[in-house]
């Protein structure tokens, strides 16, 4: 009997132009509904293997299926050479299309012999020699999004194979999931991701688990979507919430629109994140030549404020000096990796502006003033409105320029450029 399958909501946002993104209601993500899982399922929480948001590199947005051993290892070497690995970008993940089209004689996943002639264990070995971690992609359905073999029916076998290859991180997509008659979509996804979660737990190696389930429920209604995020946070360490960020071949306007879209839905999910369990709004496009410096700074700053995984998807060896500086800004990275693990919250929202506030472990706060508009503007908020503790004065440090300021209670960013963000670290008193 054939079953309907659930396709991916979109490997890219091609066709999602600026006008579509800015249509009424699309960017105004609603407040979260209850995320408590249903009572029918009992699953041991996945080990807490990501005490801070994961950082690293993934090929998908830039290379898609044009991936091979050389591309992966060249980008890994570039992470080390540029110093980005020392700043935390230490997990190199091979996304879809690494496999052969058919499983092997023992039903095992087989690396494409042309793309990866030395096999995936070799790739992992080389990454570990560089001091990096090895990530790999699979899918809980019958096929991956690009129609390579999925893990459905092979969860334990594949998890054990990944462990033998010394994999440190698994990203599990949710394309081509058959939903049997008489069973709901959510129940099916929860069961399949639960099976893979258990298999990875029992594989004998600590493997950080990235769950893509919520991305397939973003348009099923907020109550369902947030509930799926709730059980995903029990099954894994981080989860993709919605659409993929735009790919390399998209227009500059589409790339910026996709960053804006992913920021605005994810910024409204702060209630559903908790320390060690991370909302993932997808890859950093910093380094893409189609983005302006202000747009690159904004994505980096906003992702840091949201305690989002910082996973670059570009050609690291061709990064401009500006892109290396933005990706490697240790002051901004520290906001993302702050051990308190709190996702920043929206404290002020205008038509084309957003202010977020985030408490930090040492008692400081991070404040981001984001101008999404097409003209420069001055943005401000009072310390009280931002939720800062009352104090006689506040010391501000611009985390991009390093410049220090002092305020008696109003936090101001003057003439923030179009698509720009000013990120302050604020010390009360």
């Amino acid at each position: 009997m054939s079953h309907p399958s659930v396709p991916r909501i979109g490997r890219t946002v091609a066709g999602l132009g600026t006008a579509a993104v800015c249509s009424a209601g699309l960017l105004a993500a609603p407040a979260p509904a209850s995320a408590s899982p249903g009572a029918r399922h009992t699953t041991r929480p996945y080990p807490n293997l990501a005490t801070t948001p994961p950082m690293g590199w993934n090929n998908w947005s830039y290379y898609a299926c044009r991936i091979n051993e050389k591309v992966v290892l060249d980008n890994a070497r570039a992470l080390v050479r540029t110093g980005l690995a020392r700043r935390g970008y230490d997990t190199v993940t091979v996304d879809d299309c690494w496999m052969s089209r058919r499983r092997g004689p023992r039903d095992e996943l087989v690396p494409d012999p042309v793309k990866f002639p030395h096999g995936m264990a070799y790739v992992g070995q080389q990454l570990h020699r560089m001091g990096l971690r090895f990530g790999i992609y699979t899918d809980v359905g019958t096929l991956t999004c690009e129609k390579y073999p999925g893990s459905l029916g092979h969860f334990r076998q594949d998890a054990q194979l990944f462990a033998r290859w010394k994999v440190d991180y698994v990203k599990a997509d949710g394309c081509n999931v058959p939903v049997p008659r008489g069973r709901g979509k959510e129940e099916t996804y929860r069961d399949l991701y639960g099976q893979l979660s258990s298999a990875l737990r029992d594989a004998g190696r600590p493997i950080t688990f990235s769950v893509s389930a919520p991305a397939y429920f973003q348009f099923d209604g907020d109550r369902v979507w947030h509930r799926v995020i709730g059980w995903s946070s029990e099954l894994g360490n981080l989860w993709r919430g919605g659409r993929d960020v735009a790919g390399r071949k998209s227009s500059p306007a589409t790339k910026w629109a996709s960053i804006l879209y992913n920021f605005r839905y994810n910024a409204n999910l702060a209630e559903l994140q908790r320390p060690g369990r991370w909302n993932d709004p997808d890859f950093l496009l910093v380094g893409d030549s189609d983005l302006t410096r202000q747009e690159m700074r904004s994505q980096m700053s906003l992702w840091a404020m949201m305690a989002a995984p910082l996973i670059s998807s570009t050609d690291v060896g061709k990064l401009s000096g500006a892109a290396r500086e933005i990706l490697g800004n240790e002051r901004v990275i520290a906001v993302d990796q702050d051990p308190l693990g709190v996702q920043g919250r929206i404290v002020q929202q205008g038509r084309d502006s957003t202010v977020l506030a985030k408490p930090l472990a040492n008692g400081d706060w991070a404040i981001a003033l984001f101008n999404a508009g097409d003209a420069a503007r001055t943005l401000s908020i009072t310390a009280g409105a931002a939720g800062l503790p009352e104090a006689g004065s506040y010391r501000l440090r611009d985390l991009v320029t390093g410049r220090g300021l002092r305020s008696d209670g109003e936090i101001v960013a003057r003439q923030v450029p179009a698509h720009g963000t000013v990120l302050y670290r604020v010390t009360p008193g």
Side-chain angles (χ1 to χ4, degrees):
M1 179 185 296
S2 63
H3 303 300
S5 65
V6 180
R8 188 175 177 88
I9 61 171
R11 256 303 191 181
T12 71
V13 290
L16 181 68
T18 304
V21 170
C22 295
S23 60
L26 192 57
L27 291 181
S34 171
S36 59
R40 294 180 58 189
H41 298 264
T42 57
T43 305
R44 292 177 298 163
Y46 199 74
N48 191 10
L49 301 177
T51 55
T52 57
M55 296 175 63
W57 177 89
N58 180 298
N59 63 274
W60 183 258
S61 286
Y62 192 84
Y63 294 97
C65 283
R66 300 179 302 279
I67 190 70
N68 57 47
E69 180 180 291
K70 185 178 187 303
V71 166
V72 173
L73 296 181
D74 281 354
N75 275 278
R77 294 182 189 105
L79 287 175
V80 174
R81 185 176 65 251
T82 59
L84 291 173
R86 290 196 306 274
R87 287 171 170 79
Y89 295 89
D90 64 356
T91 301
V92 172
T93 301
V94 186
D95 211 284
D96 204 348
C97 311
W98 63 265
M99 312 152 182
S100 295
R101 290 288 182 180
R102 294 181 180 276
R103 285 179 174 264
R106 293 178 296 279
D107 264 351
E108 75 277 18
L109 292 172
V110 178
D112 184 305
V114 175
K115 296 177 180 176
F116 294 94
H118 296 96
M120 303 312 287
Y122 170 83
V123 172
Q125 182 184 61
Q126 296 306 304
L127 294 174
H128 291 149
R129 284 179 176 174
M130 296 181 218
L132 302 173
R133 302 173 75 238
F134 178 27
I136 206 163
Y137 168 101
T138 189
D139 192 291
V140 299
T142 56
L143 298 169
T144 73
C145 298
E146 299 299 321
K147 304 299 189 289
Y148 291 82
S151 286
L152 181 61
H154 301 273
F155 292 126
R156 293 208 169 272
Q157 180 183 18
D158 292 354
Q160 290 165 7
L161 179 66
F162 296 155
R164 288 198 300 274
W165 287 348
K166 302 295 191 292
V167 167
D168 304 296
Y169 180 106
V170 166
K171 172 186 172 182
D173 220 330
C175 278
N176 302 301
V177 170
V179 179
R181 294 188 183 187
R183 203 162 192 223
K185 173 184 167 186
E186 182 187 352
E187 183 182 10
T188 300
Y189 270 79
R190 185 169 185 175
D191 176 51
L192 298 183
Y193 274 99
Q195 289 185 52
L196 181 54
S197 177
S198 294
L200 291 171
R201 286 183 63 112
D202 297 339
R205 179 176 178 80
I207 298 176
T208 302
F209 187 25
S210 172
V211 174
S212 292
Y216 294 88
F217 292 84
Q218 187 180 10
F219 305 110
D220 286 20
D222 297 322
R223 184 169 298 279
V224 173
W225 184 34
H226 299 152
R227 189 170 64 233
V228 172
I229 291 174
W231 55 253
S232 294
S233 73
E234 297 298 323
L235 299 180
N237 305 115
L238 63 156
W239 51 90
R240 282 289 315 284
R243 289 185 186 273
D244 286 17
V245 76
R248 176 185 180 184
K249 294 184 178 180
S250 300
S251 69
T254 297
K255 289 175 183 176
W256 173 244
S258 77
I259 290 170
L260 190 60
Y261 177 88
N262 284 22
F263 160 65
R264 288 191 169 171
Y265 85 68
N266 196 73
N268 283 280
L269 299 178
E271 296 286 347
L272 304 182
Q273 176 263 4
R274 63 185 186 275
R277 306 287 168 151
W278 312 106
N279 288 315
D280 181 5
D282 209 16
F283 306 129
L284 292 170
L285 299 187
V286 175
D288 191 308
S289 59
D290 287 335
L291 296 175
T292 69
R293 182 176 299 202
Q294 293 300 329
E295 289 167 347
M296 291 191 293
R297 283 178 176 168
S298 281
Q299 191 188 20
M300 184 71 182
S301 295
L302 296 172
W303 264 231
M305 284 295 294
M306 294 188 295
L310 300 180
I311 302 174
S312 171
S313 190
T314 187
D315 184 340
V316 182
K318 295 182 179 178
L319 288 175
S320 67
R324 285 198 305 273
E325 180 184 354
I326 292 166
L327 281 172
N329 186 323
E330 293 178 290
R331 294 182 292 258
V332 176
I333 291 171
V335 171
D336 180 80
Q337 298 287 296
D338 184 76
L340 195 61
V342 173
Q343 177 170 330
R345 298 171 188 270
I346 296 173
V347 291
Q348 183 172 288
Q349 182 76 66
R351 182 182 175 194
D352 288 317
S353 65
T354 307
V355 179
L356 298 99
K358 170 180 170 128
L360 303 174
N362 72 337
D364 289 354
W365 284 67
I367 304 291
L369 300 101
F370 171 44
N371 175 18
D374 294 328
R377 66 175 66 190
T378 294
L379 301 175
S380 66
I381 190 169
T382 65
L388 271 63
E390 190 171 338
S393 65
Y394 301 85
R395 286 181 287 124
L396 282 61
R397 180 165 297 278
D398 186 316
L399 298 188
V400 171
T401 67
R403 180 177 171 227
L405 306 167
R406 186 169 288 276
S407 167
D408 60 2
E410 187 175 26
I411 299 165
V412 181
R414 301 192 185 281
Q415 291 300 294
V416 182
H419 301 179
T421 301
V422 171
L423 180 59
Y424 290 127
R425 188 173 186 120
V426 181
T427 304

